[in-house]
Amino acid sequence: MYRFPSSSLLLASLINTNRQQAWGGINTLKKCGFVVGLCAIIFLAPGISYAACYFTQNADGTGGASSTQTPQDDYVTLPATITVPRGTAAGQSVAMNIPPLQDRRGAFCDAAFQRNYVPARALSPSTNTQMLSGVAGLELRNVINNGQAWYPWQGTGSTGSALRFPAATRTVSGLQLLVTGAVSPGRISAGLLRTVNLDTLAYSRIFLANDIAVVVPTCSVTTPSVSVTLAPVAAKDLAAIGSSAKETAFNIGLNCSGVGGNVYATLTDNTMPGNRTNQLSLATGSTAAGVALQILYGGSLVSFGADSSAAGNTNQFYVNAAANLGAGGIPLSVRYIRTSANVVPGTVRGLATFTMSYQ
């Protein structure tokens, strides 16, 4: 659901009567007999050691080092075009794919090792399990267990002693595209997302295999302000309370593209926002009395509601399927209605706002 900015229509007429580590050193000054001399300056620093981790000849992590020591690369494909309706709630998944692993090889570490997750793109400011996609309102997760859990994009994983990594133990993982806020149209680029290292061994990498075009269906109002001039009406044309006359057509312009949902609208009485009837109050500047205005859509009276695009808003009415609107609009009409036994000639002005809702 998308709320268009509230806009207004003015109805006017005249009624007439018609790991960074820094290591210090140890400086040793030594006396040699009775002669004081500088014998040695010795710097000592702890060594930094890594486990020897490597891909093995056999899938079960045995057989010595393989001749292939390149990372195990997984390419995950998501739809080339993803349409995200406006108003899609944060937390909703709009795409997910967990394909079989494409590269499974055994590995071995001969000593204690550390697993590190190194992202290739910026991460969400709120969690290291989500990566910015490059499109506002959408983030990527590295999912497992059918999307019920996920790996971090960055951090230090388990530390272990000498260990075999049989190919069969590699966890099948994939990608999920998650809504985190208002989504903007854009493009998500293919490429490397993260590398998993076992100490100095680049163990595995995950890639987004394809570019993604993100489409956000849009409907825009082409007439944010509509001024309608009604024909003059004579008192005799409004013979009794409830009688109506002088219906005048007007149009609210819309332009919808890439949309598969429905368009709804709510009209709000700007003079009396709490008005829920089908009679528009006279606005400031009116000098007439005993009359009001009514707005019709498709020949049916429209009642007024709150200025809200929420689905099910009181007196919100269905306009059409967005795909049927294209560059068209909403044809409406307005007419006078007599509301009192006494009609005072003068000017009639009415002011209503309209709020569009895409659902």
Side-chain angles (χ1 to χ4, degrees):
M1 176 176 63
Y2 170 64
R3 171 176 176 166
F4 296 95
S6 295
S7 301
S8 66
L9 56 91
L10 176 65
L11 309 170
S13 181
L14 179 67
I15 291 185
N16 53 44
T17 56
N18 303 306
R19 233 185 216 211
Q20 176 173 298
Q21 293 177 305
W23 301 100
I26 298 174
N27 187 344
T28 303
L29 181 64
K30 185 177 181 182
K31 292 183 179 180
C32 303
F34 293 100
V35 179
V36 178
L38 183 61
C39 297
I41 298 177
I42 304 172
F43 291 94
L44 301 176
I48 299 174
S49 62
Y50 293 95
C53 295
Y54 50 83
F55 289 107
T56 59
Q57 297 182 37
N58 301 325
D60 65 354
T62 64
S66 166
S67 60
T68 302
Q69 295 297 315
T70 55
Q72 302 173 103
D73 290 340
D74 297 311
Y75 290 84
V76 183
T77 301
L78 291 176
T81 301
I82 296 175
T83 299
V84 185
R86 290 190 183 274
T88 299
Q92 185 168 328
S93 173
V94 294
M96 185 170 69
N97 183 24
I98 306 179
L101 290 170
Q102 297 116 36
D103 189 0
R104 298 185 116 175
R105 287 177 276 148
F108 179 76
C109 288
D110 65 359
F113 68 92
Q114 192 166 63
R115 189 192 311 263
N116 294 300
Y117 300 88
V118 183
R121 305 186 187 186
L123 301 185
S124 167
S126 59
T127 174
N128 70 351
T129 63
Q130 292 174 199
M131 175 177 285
L132 299 180
S133 70
V135 170
L138 291 175
E139 295 181 3
L140 287 160
R141 284 203 297 209
N142 179 202
V143 293
I144 56 175
N145 298 339
N146 293 320
Q148 301 305 304
W150 40 87
Y151 282 128
W153 288 112
Q154 183 178 46
T156 300
S158 58
T159 300
S161 58
L163 186 68
R164 287 188 298 123
F165 294 88
T169 63
R170 278 196 69 206
T171 302
V172 175
S173 65
L175 293 176
Q176 180 184 48
L177 195 57
L178 195 69
V179 174
T180 57
V183 179
S184 297
R187 192 169 193 84
I188 301 173
S189 299
L192 176 64
L193 300 179
R194 187 203 55 221
T195 302
V196 176
N197 296 321
L198 302 181
D199 275 349
T200 59
L201 175 68
Y203 178 68
S204 65
R205 299 185 298 190
I206 186 168
F207 293 79
L208 175 62
N210 59 286
D211 289 350
I212 302 170
V214 177
V215 176
V216 180
T218 59
C219 279
S220 59
V221 177
T222 60
T223 54
S225 181
V226 181
S227 181
V228 183
T229 301
L230 286 75
V233 64
K236 64 183 179 61
D237 295 327
L238 299 169
I241 295 175
S243 61
S244 60
K246 299 292 184 175
E247 189 168 330
T248 301
F250 66 98
N251 188 71
I252 295 175
L254 288 179
N255 189 356
C256 296
S257 62
V259 188
N262 297 311
V263 174
Y264 293 77
T266 302
L267 297 183
T268 302
D269 185 336
N270 190 72
T271 303
M272 296 183 62
N275 180 10
R276 299 295 178 264
T277 73
N278 59 21
Q279 297 181 6
L280 181 65
S281 307
L282 298 186
T284 300
S286 297
T287 58
V291 295
L293 297 171
Q294 292 182 313
I295 298 175
L296 301 88
Y297 174 63
S300 298
L301 287 170
V302 176
S303 293
F304 299 93
D307 179 5
S308 171
S309 62
N313 186 39
T314 299
N315 292 329
Q316 184 180 79
F317 61 96
Y318 172 74
V319 175
N320 207 332
N324 295 333
L325 289 170
I330 307 175
L332 300 166
S333 60
V334 60
R335 69 188 186 190
Y336 300 97
I337 182 172
R338 185 167 181 166
T339 60
S340 173
N342 297 319
V343 174
V344 177
T347 301
V348 171
R349 293 174 62 88
L351 184 60
T353 61
F354 57 95
T355 305
M356 311 305 299
S357 177
Y358 168 77
Q359 300 173 24

